[in-house]
Amino acid sequence: MAELTYLDFDLHIEGTGGKYRARVQNSPGGEALSEFSTPFESLELENFLLRVGRPRSGVRRLNSPEMEAAKKVGAQLFEAVFQDEVFGAFRASVQQAGNEGKGLRVRLRVDAPELGDLPWEYLYNPRQDEFLSLSVETPIVRYVEIPRRFASMKVKLPLMVLVMISSPSDYPPLEVEREWQNLKTALADLEASGLVQLERLEIATLGALQQHLRPDDYHIFHFIGHGGFEEATQDGVLLFEDENRRGRKLSGHYLGTILRDERPLRLAILNACEGARTSQRDPFAGVAQNLVRRGIPAVIAMQFEITDRAAITFSRELYAAIADGYPVDAALAEARKAIFAQGNDIEWGTPVYFTRTKDGRIFNLDIIKGRTPVVRRARPSRVDPKQEKQLNNTYIDGLGAYYIQDWKRARINLQDVVAVDPNYKEAAKMLAEVENLLNREALFQQAQAALEKDDFEAAKKNLEELISEDPDNQEAVDQLKEVNQTLQVARLTEEARQLHARGQAQAVISVITRIQKIDPDYVDHEGLLQTAQTILDNQKQQAVLEKTYNQALQAVGNKNWAAAEELLMQVAQQEETHRDTQPLLARVRVEIEREKTAERQTQ
């Protein structure tokens, strides 16, 4: 691997009240300054955040509406900031970095509160048709400048990762085991090869974290849980648990106080579940910045909720690249590209990197070329020669259950093996695969339970997630097609009701006709079609009646009394009281009698 090195492009954004300055403080292309206004309207940003920041299942096709929205917002940000001199400095810096065979690290420092939570990771250069952060050559870093020197620490592999999954009882529950197994699945190969070692903190309290950190050394803290924004303090918080498993809101200041003395701890990863961002404010941004200010060299936070598949890819590629010696910003760029390579056109912009390091190197890994690192700090083996046979028998039982697809029994046996010896044969790798299969099975069962309750939205979400993991599951594909059809029919039926209430009979008939094409067995229990048809027939009858009446008026005007009488009688037969039919008919008959009288007098 060629060593990744960067030149820095330090961009400082400051201002308030809609008027801002972008100042290039240090770059290969020199210093520069430009002024700009708020790049887009509040509603436009809200719409973008709603589009990309809601829970998503599976992946999306390239050039989807989400991708186009990302390009639009990213281009607006780029063109607002990278104007005139700033763009010139950027272009010169890219060229200089290329000439030296290096990348250009964009270190972004935003001192305008209303701009700090913008999704800068989607910065898009429309002239080159490229997102900056999707290239290892131009990573984007949220730089937090503090007057404290930092040096990378020499560590031996494996990277020790402490995982906390917090799911307080008084908040929407997380599928804790599923989150844990997703992470285990993502890093199974890295664990098996001795590059990474995961350890789970079973109790998600601040006190338990402190006690767990005291005797052991960890390099990375990986938090999975809820995030929120406190209006009173104008700060983001993480939701830990208290002793009764109820939620405890913790700012980055509190968490940073616990973590700051752990010198081997170099990186914190904050994975938002159940929606971290519900408005323009990103609660994890405040937590991440506070952690960096309290001494954590680097923090990666998710500015939106991330799907299982993207989270697995992100974790696998990020940790693998760090273990390969990549700087964290370059490793993150690799993880972004891996998510994008799956056909996922939007979630690569979800991770945000905050740091106070100058060069992005938080670890100085002791890697011996050509040798697999030796796993250290593995759980003490409880296996002696007499127990080896029993351990092998348990492994063989798990192997047998695996091959007959008895996943639950396979999990029990393989868990027993891994608990004794994490590196025993292929047990860890097989266990990760079994957990993935059980996760798929659970998704399918949850979908079936939702279908039994006619909760089609929940069924759709579970089926989409299952298909994203197992595209060849034809039963799930067929069910999703039926669910989508049911939801489409329900939506169209509701639209038909609303149109019916407004008396738009022709539109109602068109909607019901469309429903019948989607579902030939559709039964119109509410009689919307029949009543709409009746209304339409009445409207047509009224139109014919009105036309006849107007013809009668014309005949009256021409004093063609006989024709007028015939036309008015036709109207009266259909609707006796239509407008002035009866008075007109009486008048016409008087005129007819007058003509008859005049004719008799002339004879």
Side-chain angles (χ1 to χ4, degrees):
M1 177 195 72
E3 185 178 2
L4 285 169
T5 56
Y6 291 93
L7 301 179
D8 290 324
F9 186 85
D10 290 330
L11 182 62
H12 183 201
I13 295 175
E14 57 188 351
T16 187
K19 299 296 183 182
Y20 309 100
R21 291 181 299 277
R23 187 188 306 273
V24 180
Q25 295 180 315
N26 172 58
S27 82
E31 299 180 356
L33 176 68
S34 68
E35 296 183 350
F36 66 99
S37 302
T38 303
F40 27 64
E41 297 296 329
S42 176
L43 181 59
E44 188 175 16
L45 178 60
E46 284 285 358
N47 289 336
F48 173 74
L49 297 179
L50 287 171
R51 185 179 290 276
V52 303
R54 293 302 189 200
R56 301 172 295 276
S57 295
V59 296
R60 299 184 170 93
R61 59 181 174 83
L62 291 174
N63 297 320
S64 69
E66 289 76 18
M67 169 62 86
E68 294 305 314
K71 285 185 175 181
K72 181 179 179 182
V73 167
Q76 287 174 295
L77 278 174
F78 186 90
E79 291 178 333
V81 174
F82 289 81
Q83 298 181 42
D84 304 329
E85 294 180 2
V86 171
F87 180 73
F90 176 73
R91 184 171 54 187
S93 298
V94 170
Q95 183 174 352
Q96 180 64 33
N99 292 340
E100 297 183 24
K102 299 179 180 180
L104 185 70
R105 177 188 290 115
V106 179
R107 297 198 305 184
L108 185 65
R109 186 155 64 94
V110 182
D111 287 334
E114 59 270 33
L115 300 185
D117 292 333
L118 294 183
W120 294 97
E121 287 60 39
Y122 292 100
L123 270 173
Y124 173 74
N125 183 354
R127 308 178 198 189
Q128 299 295 326
D129 188 24
E130 60 186 14
F131 291 96
L132 271 60
S133 67
L134 259 182
S135 172
V136 73
E137 299 293 334
T138 52
I140 294 177
V141 173
R142 307 281 190 107
Y143 189 65
V144 182
E145 191 169 24
I146 58 176
R148 187 184 305 171
R149 296 187 66 183
F150 168 82
S152 62
M153 174 175 287
K154 186 173 183 178
V155 300
K156 291 184 178 181
L157 294 175
L159 290 171
M160 301 302 302
V161 183
L162 180 61
V163 181
M164 174 185 280
I165 305 175
S166 177
S167 182
S169 60
D170 51 338
Y171 285 84
L174 302 181
E175 295 183 46
V176 173
E177 293 304 321
R178 177 172 158 190
E179 296 286 353
W180 170 243
Q181 290 306 326
N182 281 343
L183 194 56
K184 292 284 287 183
T185 298
L187 303 184
D189 291 342
L190 296 175
E191 280 199 287
S193 60
L195 298 174
V196 171
Q197 186 171 331
L198 293 178
E199 189 167 328
R200 177 176 169 184
L201 180 58
E202 297 289 345
I203 303 174
T205 66
L206 193 62
L209 175 61
Q210 179 191 5
Q211 294 169 10
H212 210 78
L213 288 169
R214 188 162 53 238
D216 296 314
D217 290 340
Y218 297 94
H219 306 126
I220 299 173
F221 174 63
H222 194 127
F223 174 85
I224 301 174
H226 299 282
F229 193 88
E230 285 287 275
E231 290 291 343
T233 60
Q234 291 292 292
D235 199 6
V237 295
L238 300 181
L239 285 172
F240 274 52
E241 298 175 8
D242 63 15
E243 290 71 15
N244 299 315
R245 290 207 64 243
R246 296 180 64 82
R248 181 186 177 188
K249 297 177 180 178
L250 288 176
S251 70
H253 175 83
Y254 275 85
L255 180 58
T257 300
I258 297 298
L259 299 180
R260 65 180 300 180
D261 292 335
E262 304 303 318
R263 294 194 62 225
L265 189 67
R266 309 271 95 183
L267 173 65
I269 297 175
L270 310 178
N271 189 355
C273 289
E274 299 299 321
R277 177 182 282 206
T278 55
S279 69
Q280 291 187 27
R281 286 176 171 156
D282 176 4
F284 276 16
V287 175
Q289 291 168 358
N290 263 316
L291 288 178
V292 172
R293 292 190 181 102
R294 300 300 293 175
I296 305 303
V299 179
I300 296 176
M302 304 298 166
Q303 59 183 321
F304 306 113
E305 184 180 349
I306 189 168
T307 59
D308 283 350
R309 187 180 185 191
I312 289 171
T313 301
F314 163 79
S315 297
R316 181 178 61 246
E317 297 299 326
L318 177 76
Y319 285 113
I322 291 175
D324 282 342
Y326 278 59
V328 176
D329 43 12
L332 179 54
E334 288 294 299
R336 293 190 199 278
K337 290 194 295 183
I339 295 172
F340 183 79
Q342 291 180 329
N344 190 326
D345 61 0
I346 198 72
E347 291 187 273
W348 52 264
T350 295
V352 182
Y353 179 42
F354 298 86
T355 187
R356 62 188 177 97
T357 65
K358 293 290 185 182
D359 60 3
R361 293 192 180 277
I362 59 176
F363 300 114
N364 182 8
L365 297 178
D366 186 9
I367 302 175
I368 303 175
K369 293 184 179 180
R371 290 184 55 188
T372 300
V374 177
V375 177
R376 64 181 180 85
R377 288 177 37 84
R379 295 181 183 179
S381 175
R382 297 194 295 270
V383 181
D384 57 37
K386 294 181 180 179
Q387 293 175 311
E388 176 68 26
K389 182 177 180 180
Q390 181 179 351
L391 183 64
N392 189 61
N393 287 340
T394 304
Y395 176 75
I396 296 300
D397 288 343
L399 196 65
Y402 172 86
Y403 281 115
I404 65 172
Q405 299 183 4
D406 185 350
W407 310 124
K408 291 184 178 179
R409 188 160 65 87
R411 177 169 62 180
I412 292 172
N413 283 289
L414 292 170
Q415 282 177 336
D416 289 344
V417 172
V418 171
V420 176
D421 184 356
N423 303 305
Y424 191 81
K425 297 184 178 180
E426 296 292 316
K429 185 176 181 179
M430 290 177 61
L431 178 59
E433 183 179 349
V434 166
E435 293 291 358
N436 185 264
L437 291 166
L438 282 169
N439 179 46
R440 295 180 188 181
E441 188 176 280
L443 285 170
F444 186 77
Q445 291 172 353
Q446 289 166 13
Q448 306 316 301
L451 287 173
E452 289 179 4
K453 298 177 183 178
D454 290 340
D455 187 352
F456 297 106
E457 289 290 352
K460 174 184 171 71
K461 180 179 179 180
N462 286 307
L463 289 169
E464 285 180 339
E465 191 166 347
L466 173 58
I467 292 169
S468 75
E469 298 291 336
D470 185 11
D472 297 327
N473 190 326
Q474 192 58 46
E475 185 175 5
V477 170
D478 292 340
Q479 281 196 352
L480 180 59
K481 182 178 179 181
E482 292 179 5
V483 166
N484 283 332
Q485 175 179 298
T486 300
L487 289 171
Q488 187 178 10
V489 167
R491 177 179 60 79
L492 289 172
T493 300
E494 178 58 30
E495 290 175 355
R497 290 193 193 101
Q498 295 174 359
L499 291 167
H500 187 276
R502 296 294 300 270
Q504 298 187 33
Q506 186 61 63
V508 172
I509 294 171
S510 296
V511 172
I512 299 296
T513 301
R514 181 176 298 183
I515 292 174
Q516 290 171 337
K517 288 181 180 178
I518 297 170
D519 180 8
D521 298 325
Y522 174 78
V523 179
D524 181 18
H525 293 291
E526 299 174 52
L528 298 174
L529 179 61
Q530 181 179 353
T531 54
Q533 190 63 60
T534 300
I535 292 171
L536 193 61
D537 290 343
N538 288 337
Q539 290 174 347
K540 290 179 178 178
Q541 182 179 343
Q542 285 295 315
V544 172
L545 202 64
E546 188 66 16
K547 181 178 179 180
T548 305
Y549 181 79
N550 288 332
Q551 289 174 344
L553 289 178
Q554 187 176 2
V556 170
N558 295 333
K559 297 184 178 182
N560 188 349
W561 309 116
E565 181 183 33
E566 181 179 353
L567 291 167
L568 288 168
M569 288 179 65
Q570 292 177 18
V571 173
Q573 287 174 357
Q574 296 294 321
E575 186 179 316
E576 187 174 359
T577 58
H578 184 77
R579 295 178 65 176
D580 292 332
T581 299
Q582 292 302 325
L584 274 174
L585 188 57
R587 175 189 167 192
V588 166
R589 286 173 174 167
V590 168
E591 294 295 339
I592 290 173
E593 285 300 323
R594 182 179 292 122
E595 284 186 346
K596 288 180 179 179
T597 301
E599 185 179 349
R600 285 196 297 268
Q601 290 176 351
T602 59
Q603 290 179 353

